[in-house]
Amino acid sequence: MVWLPTRCIALLFCCFSSVERPSVSNRNQKAELVVNASGGRQIPETFFGIFFEEINHAGAGGLWAELVSNRGFEAVRQNKSLNIHPWSLIGDESSIIVSTDRSSCFKRNKIALRMEVLCDGDTCPVGRVGVYNPGFWGMDIKQGKIYKIVFYLRSLTSVNISVSLTSSDGLRTLANTNLIASAGDVSNWTKMETLLEAEETNPNARLQLKTSKKGVMWIDQVSAIPLDTYKSHGFRNDLSEMIANLKPRFLRFPGGNFVGGDLLRNAFRWKDTVGPWEERPGHFNDAWNYWTDDGLGYFEFLQLSEDLGALPIWVFNNGMSNLGREKASNVSLFVQEALEGIEFAIGDPSSKWGSVRAAMRHPKPFDLRYVAVGNEECYSMEKNAYKENYPKFYDMIKRYYPNIKVISNCDESVDQLDHPTDLYDFHIYTNASDLFSKAHHFDHTSRSGPKVFVSEYAVSGKDGGTGSLLAALGEAGFLVGLERNSDVVAMVCYAPLFVNVHDRSWNPDAIVFNSNQAYGTPSYWLQHFFTDTSGAMLLNTTLLTNSSTPILASAIAQWNSNDNMCFLKVKVFPSCS
Ligand SMILES: *[C@@H]1O[C@H](CO)[C@@H](O)[C@H](O)[C@H]1NC(C)=O
Ligand SMILES: *[C@@H]1O[C@H](CO)[C@@H](O)[C@H](O)[C@H]1NC(C)=O
Ligand SMILES: *[C@@H]1O[C@H](CO)[C@@H](O)[C@H](O)[C@H]1NC(C)=O
Ligand SMILES: *[C@@H]1O[C@H](CO)[C@@H](O)[C@H](O)[C@H]1NC(C)=O
Ligand SMILES: *[C@@H]1O[C@H](CO)[C@@H](O)[C@H](O)[C@H]1NC(C)=O
Ligand SMILES: *[C@@H]1O[C@H](CO)[C@@H](O)[C@H](O)[C@H]1NC(C)=O
Ligand SMILES: *[C@@H]1O[C@H](CO)[C@@H](O)[C@H](O)[C@H]1NC(C)=O
Ligand SMILES: *[C@@H]1O[C@H](CO)[C@@H](O)[C@H](O)[C@H]1NC(C)=O
């Protein structure tokens, strides 16, 4: 193909690592890059994407805009000593007694909060007694914004419950309403719903449910979520905008180690994460050590992909827990579960699982084209078990869904990939100079075999810290290498995407946030710099240099059909070590 860019605008990006240590030899070095703007090879349209894992409270207490933590009191199923954590009492034991029991109206999440109020009217201390939830290290409440509060209630008597958003000490009320119901109305479980408009801003607020009426009541599935979310689908706006700005062409989810769980009973099982949020049981994310209510479930990941204009890449559980620690005795159940998950995403609304999706107001199939058979099991001592089970998934998926592309996590070079697959995972976390040199890792990879999916990469350790320019430069060299090898490397995404400053279980990360603020690390902005690589023309470049410092360079060109212009982007990165 001959491709002649006309009226190109040249963008030149250079970085010089030697600024801090100028030397005679550096000053004497010279480099010249010759770019042949005729011809070239197209980089895949789906080259740059993102990988979301539920790690570092990336979703619960992060991208997912739900403000209440442990909203169904189910976390007690995991750890009894945590009781109703992070819920706390307002009042003392002489005026209020709370406990949990299994009286909920929901089948899969039976735990409910039982609240017995002993005081009445003026005899109640601090005006009224009850419970509050501080969210995930404080709720972000903004003046003028509206919050939808939902909870389920059952009571032996009539109720007058004050529902409010307050400062972290409970002293300043940001929004309040009184919910009043007769005993007859709430003698059985009843859904209570109200909208609260905040009169003040407070990034460290809490939700309170209080009363001064003597009696016994049960509370379950308490939700507080801003009405204004990304595309009205429940995602936090600022964080969603940051990932949208990376123009991801795909979204790999939901993990990572989150997929398998350290124990299988703690794995992400998609069926428990779809349907009405109130009915989802939630589960303990033992890989990263926190409870998730699973409001951000399989459906929401598919929805987010669609909202971002990214293809979903679903990593499903293959019946092995993290690194093969534990295995299901009957893998065919997991094969079935994977097939049903695909049916949920793309099946006809009249199919069994397609109808569940349709009931969630998405009758149109999602654009699911890729699935991955687990995460990293082939890296472990259990690689033989993975290799034994893998064909069972592959064969059945290809039989029922021949167009779905399947991703193995056996690496061609390391694990002797010996089974059919469309793509295979490549993961790398290393220091800056090593990642920079890995630009050449795929130079000699077979061009006739399956494609490579670089589904996790980052400079980590001392060089990475909690985000550094050095890390970004190591990654830059690697990415230039991937651009140049994009005839065999089909897709690439960085990991991890998010970290909540209150739960740094992995460093560094691309986006750092607390309840109301977020910033991108150098690794985030480096990715941002590569967003226009997807689908661009890779031009042939020749570097002529007498420099002893390794230098990596690439040139890409792309049409903008809107103004019939093209741009040429040249990237030059010297090694920083
Ligand atoms: C590199 O080339 C430049 C220009 O030709 C020259 O001035 C310089 O001395 C050379 N440096 C080395 C280290 O050979
Ligand atoms: C530039 O690339 C075109 C197409 O591959 C080729 O025909 C031409 O000879 C190249 N020009 C130079 C100067 O290498
Ligand atoms: C339960 O939580 C408590 C408090 O965080 C902790 O000390 C304990 O180790 C946990 N137990 C289990 C079994 O996880
Ligand atoms: C509900 O409680 C509030 C606060 O104690 C009180 O002002 C209000 O009058 C009560 N409403 C009813 C109908 O009892
Ligand atoms: C209470 O509600 C549940 C669920 O809606 C229903 O199955 C049950 O029959 C109701 N009980 C009474 C006593 O009305
Ligand atoms: C495994 O599960 C399949 C599908 O449910 C079932 O037909 C089969 O009998 C099970 N095998 C064993 C050994 O439990
Ligand atoms: C970087 O990592 C590579 C590969 O593990 C190692 O050989 C090298 O010594 C490391 N370099 C530094 C500066 O730590
Ligand atoms: C790029 O240019 C070099 C030097 O002219 C040539 O050897 C190589 O084949 C070219 N590569 C492509 C893909 O055109």
Side-chain angles (χ1 to χ4, degrees), residues 47-48 436 439-440 474-486 526 529-530 538 541 551-555 571-573:
F47 196 62
F48 267 98
F436 191 90
H440 298 291
E475 289 151 9
F478 182 59
L479 290 181
V480 164
L482 299 189
E483 281 183 333
R484 297 169 65 113
N485 282 300
S486 57
L526 192 269
F529 190 66
F530 277 79
L538 178 76
T541 50
I551 298 176
L552 287 164
S554 73
K571 299 193 275 295
V572 182
F573 297 103

Side-chain angles (χ1 to χ4, degrees), residues 397-444:
I397 291 168
K398 290 293 180 184
R399 181 192 303 175
Y400 291 103
Y401 301 100
N403 295 328
I404 294 275
K405 294 214 179 338
V406 178
I407 302 163
S408 164
N409 61 55
C410 292
D411 181 323
E412 174 129 270
S413 52
V414 184
D415 310 300
Q416 301 96 40
L417 179 59
D418 57 2
H419 48 236
T421 188
D422 296 299
L423 298 112
Y424 64 89
D425 280 324
F426 177 85
H427 292 181
I428 184 163
Y429 297 95
T430 184
N431 59 46
S433 63
D434 191 45
L435 193 63
F436 191 90
S437 70
K438 288 288 188 297
H440 298 291
H441 186 81
F442 300 102
D443 288 359
H444 305 292

Side-chain angles (χ1 to χ4, degrees), residues 104-153:
S104 172
C105 53
F106 300 109
K107 281 198 200 73
R108 292 184 296 172
N109 46 8
K110 293 305 288 181
I111 314 273
L113 183 79
R114 182 182 186 275
M115 193 159 105
E116 182 170 0
V117 177
L118 306 170
C119 62
D120 201 39
D122 293 343
T123 70
C124 287
V126 287
R128 285 182 264 181
V129 297
V131 287
Y132 71 85
N133 188 294
F136 302 87
W137 304 284
M139 299 178 176
D140 180 44
I141 302 300
K142 287 199 169 69
Q143 183 180 20
K145 291 244 183 232
I146 296 172
Y147 299 84
K148 183 176 176 183
I149 318 289
V150 176
F151 63 99
Y152 287 76
L153 176 70

Side-chain angles (χ1 to χ4, degrees), residues 411-518:
D411 181 323
E412 174 129 270
S413 52
V414 184
D415 310 300
Q416 301 96 40
L417 179 59
D418 57 2
H419 48 236
T421 188
D422 296 299
L423 298 112
Y424 64 89
D425 280 324
F426 177 85
H427 292 181
I428 184 163
Y429 297 95
T430 184
N431 59 46
S433 63
D434 191 45
L435 193 63
F436 191 90
S437 70
K438 288 288 188 297
H440 298 291
H441 186 81
F442 300 102
D443 288 359
H444 305 292
T445 299
S446 159
R447 267 42 188 175
S448 59
K451 303 279 191 207
V452 183
F453 179 14
V454 177
S455 53
E456 297 185 23
Y457 76 89
V459 169
S460 60
K462 202 163 126 274
D463 288 355
T466 53
S468 73
L469 190 56
L470 179 60
L473 290 174
E475 289 151 9
F478 182 59
L479 290 181
V480 164
L482 299 189
E483 281 183 333
R484 297 169 65 113
N485 282 300
S486 57
D487 53 336
V488 65
V489 177
M491 296 190 278
V492 50
C493 51
Y494 177 89
L497 187 55
F498 285 118
V499 65
N500 185 316
V501 293
H502 298 286
D503 180 23
R504 276 193 179 275
S505 40
W506 189 288
N507 293 310
D509 308 272
I511 300 169
V512 183
F513 65 87
N514 61 15
S515 77
N516 68 320
Q517 292 168 307

